[in-house]
Amino acid sequence: MEFPFLEKEDPELFAAIAGEEKRQAEGLELIPSENYVSRAVKEAMASSLTNKYSEGYPGKRYYGGQEFTDQVETLAILRAKKLFGAAYANVQPLGGANANIAMYMALLSPGDTVLGMDLSHGGHLTHGHPVTYLTKIFNFVRYGMKNIETGEIDYDDMRRAAKEARPKIILAGFSAYPRELDYGAFVDIAREVGAISVMDIAHIAGLIAGKAAKNPFDFGFDLMTTTTHKTLRGPRGGMILTRESEEIAKRVDKAVFPGLQGGPHMHQIAAKAVAFGEALHPSFVRYAKQIVANTKAMERVFKEEGVRMIAGGSDNHLILLDAWTSFGIGGAEAESLLDRAGITLNKNMIANDTRKPIDPSGIRFGTPALTTRGFREAESAQIAHLMCEVLAKKKDATTAKEEVKTLALAHPIPESFA
Ligand code: DSN
C-alpha cells in the first residue's frame, strides 16, 4: 500500500510501517487469529469517518451531523444480522475483550456466576482467568476437556458444575481449541439450570459465516460475541449478536454505550460493514472451506510424522501442537526457531501443561492468512513438513527461510488485499 503523505511528513513512523508491510509480505503468517484484510476494508478504515463523534445508535445520537454515520452503522448491522442469522447486532465494541465485558455487564449483577472454558483447555482470558479484573466482580467456574487426545469436552462434568454453581451464563467458545463443540449439549444444560447461553465465536466467525462450521444460533444459543478481524477477515474490532430476545439486545446496547464506551469508532464500523459484505459473497464460502482443507492437509503431515496434537488434530482453522513431547523443545524455542525461518506463530499452554506460560509446551498456528494468499493443500503440507524439519533441527532456520521466501514469493498477497 502507498503512504505518500506519511512517507514525506513522518519518515520515522513510515519506516516502521514499511518494515511491517515487508515482513507480512515475505514471511508466512500462521498466527491463527491473524489475517490480511482487503484494500476496500483498509480504505474504509482510513476514511474521514475517524473525524466524527457519534455517541448513541442510528437515529438516536447525542451529536448532530449523523446523516452518513447512521447509514454506515445501519449497513453494518443489517449485514451482520444476515451473515449470522441474528435478530439484533451491536457493532460498536472496540474488540473481542470489550464485547465480552459488555456482554457480562448486560447479563450479570456483581457476584453472579459464569461457567466458562478453562484457559489451559482452550478458553480465553476474558472467560474468567484470575489475572483479569472480571474475577473481582463475577464468579467464574470452569469446565474442560475429558479426553485431551480427542478434545472431547466433559459435558457430564459441565452439567454437574452447572447444577451446583447455578451460573447465570453458560459460555462456550475458545481461542485455542481445534474441534467443533456440541452446541446442543450447551443449550440443553443452560436451559436445565435457567442460564443464558453465550458462544464466543471470535476465532471461528469466518468459518461460521462461510458455512465451514456450524452456527450456534441454529442450536438455540441466545447470544454470540466475536471479534471481526480473525477468520472473518475484517478490521480489528468486536460485535455482539442476539438471536431473538429484544430485551437482551436492549441490555447489550445499554452496556456498550453508555455503559462502557464513548464515541464509536465509525471508520472501523464502516470497515466492518465492508468485511461483512465481502463475507456475504459466495466466494467467501470457498475461502472458509479452503481454510479447513488447508488445516487438514497440515494435520495429515503431523499425523504421519507422529507429532502430538492436542485433541488429536483439528476440525477448524488451528492446530495446537505439543512441541515438548514431540521435539523435546519448549514452546518459546519452537516459536523462535520458526520465527527465524520466517514462519510466524505463537507459543501456547496446553492442557495439563507442566511448563510455565512464558515457555509452555505448545505452539498454536493456523491457516486463515495463508489461505487469503491462495495457499492450498499442497503448499500447506509443504509448510507442515518444513516445520517438522526445523523443530527436529534437521534443517537450520537460514536454509528453511529461503524455502519460505520462495513459497511466499510464489503466493504474493493478492493485489486487492495488499
Ligand atoms: N489474542 C487473541 C488470539 O490470538 O487468539 C485472543 O485474544
Side-chain angles (χ1 to χ4, degrees):
M1 194 161 168
E2 304 288 302
F3 300 92
F5 287 88
L6 195 57
E7 186 170 7
K8 194 160 154 249
E9 289 174 23
D10 193 339
E12 199 179 357
L13 198 271
F14 168 78
I17 293 179
E20 174 62 11
E21 296 251 331
K22 187 166 181 290
R23 188 194 68 80
Q24 291 190 15
E26 288 184 359
L28 296 180
E29 186 51 73
L30 269 76
I31 293 177
S33 47
E34 294 187 9
N35 213 330
Y36 301 101
V37 299
S38 71
R39 285 291 287 268
V41 166
K42 285 186 194 169
E43 283 175 11
M45 272 192 278
S47 69
S48 304
L49 286 162
T50 196
N51 298 336
K52 189 73 194 110
Y53 259 121
S54 310
E55 281 101 326
Y57 292 99
K60 291 169 284 182
R61 307 275 189 194
Y62 290 85
Y63 290 69
Q66 305 293 349
E67 184 186 352
F68 300 106
T69 51
D70 274 5
Q71 287 176 26
V72 165
E73 189 166 348
T74 301
L75 261 181
I77 291 170
L78 284 174
R79 290 177 183 172
K81 291 195 301 189
K82 193 167 174 199
L83 207 46
F84 294 99
Y88 304 93
N90 187 308
V91 295
Q92 293 192 5
L94 304 177
N98 312 55
N100 279 344
I101 295 166
M103 175 273 290
Y104 293 138
M105 297 293 176
L107 304 179
L108 302 176
S109 301
D112 281 347
T113 297
V114 177
L115 183 58
M117 194 177 198
D118 196 319
L119 179 71
S120 70
H121 284 233
H124 187 253
L125 285 175
T126 57
H127 296 184
H129 194 276
V131 296
T132 65
Y133 283 108
L134 289 166
T135 56
K136 293 189 195 301
I137 307 170
F138 308 118
N139 175 39
F140 289 88
V141 182
R142 279 172 263 286
Y143 60 85
M145 287 180 271
K146 173 157 79 179
N147 183 340
I148 298 167
E149 305 311 320
T150 63
E152 192 189 345
I153 302 284
D154 196 339
Y155 293 103
D156 293 333
D157 186 56
M158 186 194 295
R159 178 174 273 106
R160 182 203 52 72
K163 285 189 171 155
E164 194 181 303
R166 311 304 294 187
K168 285 270 175 61
I169 293 173
I170 292 197
L171 179 59
F174 45 79
S175 59
Y177 178 75
R179 296 292 186 196
E180 279 260 31
L181 297 172
D182 180 352
Y183 295 129
F186 279 90
V187 170
D188 284 349
I189 295 170
R191 287 182 182 156
E192 277 172 41
V193 299
I196 294 175
S197 48
V198 180
M199 168 75 184
D200 178 345
I201 60 168
H203 261 260
I204 57 167
L207 302 185
I208 295 170
K211 313 208 180 316
K214 293 174 191 159
N215 185 340
F217 279 161
D218 293 341
F219 297 81
F221 265 78
D222 297 306
L223 219 91
M224 300 203 290
T225 60
T226 188
T227 53
T228 48
H229 51 270
K230 297 185 174 92
T231 47
L232 193 49
R233 212 163 59 180
R236 202 151 279 283
M239 172 163 70
I240 304 175
L241 301 155
T242 306
R243 182 171 56 87
E244 65 172 20
S245 165
E246 185 181 3
E247 192 250 327
I248 290 181
K250 281 186 173 158
R251 276 153 61 189
V252 165
D253 282 352
K254 273 195 191 146
V256 174
F257 174 82
L260 281 166
Q261 296 184 180
H265 293 186
M266 203 52 78
H267 56 306
Q268 295 294 100
I269 292 174
K272 288 175 191 178
V274 175
F276 301 159
E278 290 172 358
L280 281 165
H281 193 272
S283 62
F284 200 82
V285 171
R286 286 196 294 282
Y287 168 64
K289 296 204 161 140
Q290 190 64 48
I291 291 177
V292 178
N294 287 350
T295 316
K296 283 280 171 203
M298 296 188 88
E299 178 201 82
R300 277 194 290 280
V301 172
F302 294 127
K303 276 191 178 157
E304 280 161 24
E305 297 287 332
V307 169
R308 180 175 186 242
M309 289 173 282
I310 304 308
S314 176
D315 298 324
N316 57 28
H317 63 302
L318 72 83
I319 288 175
L320 194 55
L321 182 158
D322 180 350
W324 184 244
T325 305
S326 308
F327 300 101
I329 56 173
E333 186 181 352
E335 178 191 289
S336 156
L337 274 173
L338 291 166
D339 210 28
R340 276 187 271 137
I343 295 175
T344 311
L345 43 65
N346 65 277
K347 57 181 178 281
N348 216 95
M349 291 289 276
I350 59 173
N352 301 341
D353 210 327
T354 51
R355 297 168 64 83
K356 300 266 181 303
I358 195 70
D359 185 12
S361 296
I363 48 173
R364 184 190 72 149
F365 50 91
T367 55
L370 292 181
T371 308
T372 298
R373 283 179 86 140
F375 281 73
R376 299 179 69 94
E377 288 91 327
E379 297 88 358
S380 305
Q382 190 181 340
I383 295 165
H385 275 298
L386 192 57
M387 287 172 67
C388 289
E389 288 174 318
V390 172
L391 294 172
K393 300 187 178 163
K394 288 184 183 152
K395 190 172 267 181
D396 68 85
T398 321
T399 316
K401 193 162 189 169
E402 283 308 308
E403 211 173 309
V404 162
K405 209 166 170 186
T406 309
L407 264 171
L409 288 175
H411 298 85
I413 302 169
E415 204 186 343
S416 54
F417 286 81

